[in-house]
Amino acid sequence: MLNSPLSPQNLIALLVAFFVVVVTGPRVIGWLHKLKFGQNINSDAPSTHAKKQGTPTMGGVMIVIGVVVSLIVSLPLGRAPHPLGAELLAVVLVFLGHAAIGFLDDYLSVKRGKSLGLKARHKLAWQFIVASGFVLWLYLTARPGVTTEVVLWPGHLFDFGYVYYPIALLLIMGLSNATNLTDGLDGLLSGLTMFAALGISWTIYTLSPGFEQLPWFGHALAGACLGFLWFNAHPAKVFMGDTGSLAIGASLTAMAIVGKQEILLLVFSLVFLAELFSVIIQVGVVRFTGGKAIGRRVFRRTPIHHHFEEMKWPETVVVARFWIVGVLALAVGLLLAPHFATW
């Protein structure tokens, strides 16, 4: 079947993205070196990260190139009435919009010679604008009795009505920042993204007929991240930066929202959510207690992958074990998937 999860079209999307990134990677890394776009390590990071200072960042442009080229190649293979469906276009625009925000953040960080690029409130404002554009499109194209419904648990469908739209906005902004926080160890985010992207692609195909173009994007993103991992594996030759990390979380969420697989996305995103909530909990406790001493913290350091580094786990061990959790989350999500059918 052409549009099955492992159809030639989806496999081509994955493979093209992978080879595009692998082939163009050395040139892009050389370009980043030439422009002196090196990573500025945050002072809050573990001391073992000091040696990563100056490693090229903005590598997310490799992922963007891989995804875009892959879609251009694989789209002609589709059987949809139009070469580019509105749903796929909306997801791609969310992806590119957040990649642009991340690129600006990375650029300012490099030029200022600090680990801080855009101010947090400015970054959130731009994320809000891009996500709001997607949610507005969602509202204008809403299908009564479908768009705002969510399977909260197996067999129980709930219609959120207009409340769904701010929830969708919160999901996009929340998960884009979650993947941004996850991008802190060599290969961590690129590996986890492959599992989440394939998981949400397969469930959308299985449970949401009529959205056959969305899995193309998911497979292209998985392939691009696999290719990026070729260079990002420890010791990393390039970092993704916000250019890639913001775009990944936002586009995966946009896919899930359009394909009505919001809850399963949260299952596939278990590690991303753990990273996000570790920071929220840590900041909340420190501010509530008014102290910064280790004794008043829940974690030794956040995001949570740094907590395990502080426990003397080698970076490669942390990454491998987080990948294992990601694979288990993928397995659980696929196991639950038949019970979350919305159509």
Side-chain angles (χ1 to χ4, degrees), residues 216-277:
W216 307 349
F217 176 87
H219 282 78
L221 181 60
C225 286
L226 182 62
F228 184 76
L229 187 59
W230 187 271
F231 306 99
N232 187 234
H234 186 78
K237 295 181 176 62
V238 64
F239 295 142
M240 186 182 300
D242 285 17
T243 305
S245 61
L246 287 178
I248 285 172
S251 58
L252 286 177
T253 309
M255 278 183 63
I257 288 172
V258 173
K260 304 309 301 170
Q261 303 304 324
E262 300 91 341
I263 300 301
L264 288 178
L265 173 67
L266 297 181
V267 176
F268 297 135
S269 303
L270 177 63
V271 176
F272 303 150
L273 296 176
E275 298 275 18
L276 175 64
F277 283 104

Side-chain angles (χ1 to χ4, degrees), residues 101-113:
I101 297 169
F103 184 89
L104 178 59
D105 186 52
D106 290 336
Y107 178 81
L108 291 176
S109 175
V110 169
K111 287 303 179 183
R112 292 170 178 171

Side-chain angles (χ1 to χ4, degrees), residues 4-324:
S4 71
L6 296 179
S7 70
Q9 182 178 22
N10 287 333
L11 291 177
I12 287 174
L14 188 151
L15 291 173
V16 169
F18 169 77
F19 285 112
V20 166
V21 173
V22 169
V23 170
T24 62
R27 185 177 295 274
V28 173
I29 294 173
W31 172 67
L32 295 174
H33 266 300
K34 185 177 180 180
L35 295 176
K36 299 182 179 179
F37 283 173
Q39 177 72 42
N40 294 297
I41 302 301
N42 194 312
S43 58
D44 290 335
S47 58
T48 54
H49 286 226
K51 59 186 178 182
K52 299 183 180 185
Q53 179 75 22
T55 302
T57 188
M58 287 191 190
V61 297
M62 298 158 60
I63 296 175
V64 173
I65 293 171
V67 169
V68 172
V69 173
S70 177
L71 290 178
I72 291 174
V73 171
S74 60
L75 276 172
L77 300 176
R79 297 182 297 184
H82 303 288
L84 183 65
E87 294 83 6
L88 177 59
L89 179 59
V91 172
V92 170
L93 289 178
V94 169
F95 175 74
L96 295 178
H98 282 79
I101 297 169
F103 184 89
L104 178 59
D105 186 52
D106 290 336
Y107 178 81
L108 291 176
S109 175
V110 169
K111 287 303 179 183
R112 292 170 178 171
K114 301 178 181 180
S115 60
L116 179 64
L118 285 170
K119 291 183 178 180
R121 63 177 180 273
H122 294 160
K123 185 191 294 188
L124 287 172
W126 280 112
Q127 288 177 268
F128 178 83
I129 291 172
V130 175
S132 294
F134 171 80
V135 172
L136 177 61
W137 167 82
L138 198 68
Y139 169 75
L140 294 175
T141 59
R143 289 183 290 172
V146 175
T147 300
T148 56
E149 292 181 344
V150 177
V151 180
L152 292 181
W153 56 86
H156 292 79
L157 189 67
F158 184 81
D159 190 347
F160 282 86
Y162 290 113
V163 177
Y164 178 81
Y165 299 108
I167 292 176
L169 181 66
L170 183 63
L171 281 174
I172 295 173
M173 295 185 65
L175 200 58
S176 65
N177 284 292
T179 50
N180 182 227
L181 291 170
T182 304
D183 185 33
L185 300 179
D186 296 353
L188 180 59
L189 179 57
S190 48
L192 289 171
T193 298
M194 290 188 294
F195 309 140
L198 291 176
I200 200 64
S201 296
W202 294 343
T203 53
I204 287 176
Y205 165 77
T206 304
L207 305 179
S208 305
F211 295 106
E212 67 276 357
Q213 287 193 351
L214 293 182
W216 307 349
F217 176 87
H219 282 78
L221 181 60
C225 286
L226 182 62
F228 184 76
L229 187 59
W230 187 271
F231 306 99
N232 187 234
H234 186 78
K237 295 181 176 62
V238 64
F239 295 142
M240 186 182 300
D242 285 17
T243 305
S245 61
L246 287 178
I248 285 172
S251 58
L252 286 177
T253 309
M255 278 183 63
I257 288 172
V258 173
K260 304 309 301 170
Q261 303 304 324
E262 300 91 341
I263 300 301
L264 288 178
L265 173 67
L266 297 181
V267 176
F268 297 135
S269 303
L270 177 63
V271 176
F272 303 150
L273 296 176
E275 298 275 18
L276 175 64
F277 283 104
S278 70
V279 174
I280 293 174
I281 292 170
Q282 186 87 321
V283 172
V285 169
V286 170
R287 290 186 177 178
F288 179 77
T289 59
K292 297 183 179 180
I294 291 296
R296 296 188 180 182
R297 296 185 178 188
V298 178
F299 305 100
R300 297 186 181 186
R301 195 184 295 268
T302 56
I304 197 170
H305 55 258
H306 289 325
H307 169 80
F308 292 105
E309 285 189 290
E310 292 292 343
M311 292 176 62
K312 306 305 180 183
W313 288 17
E315 179 176 352
T316 51
V317 172
V318 177
V319 171
R321 289 176 177 171
F322 274 42
W323 280 4
I324 291 171

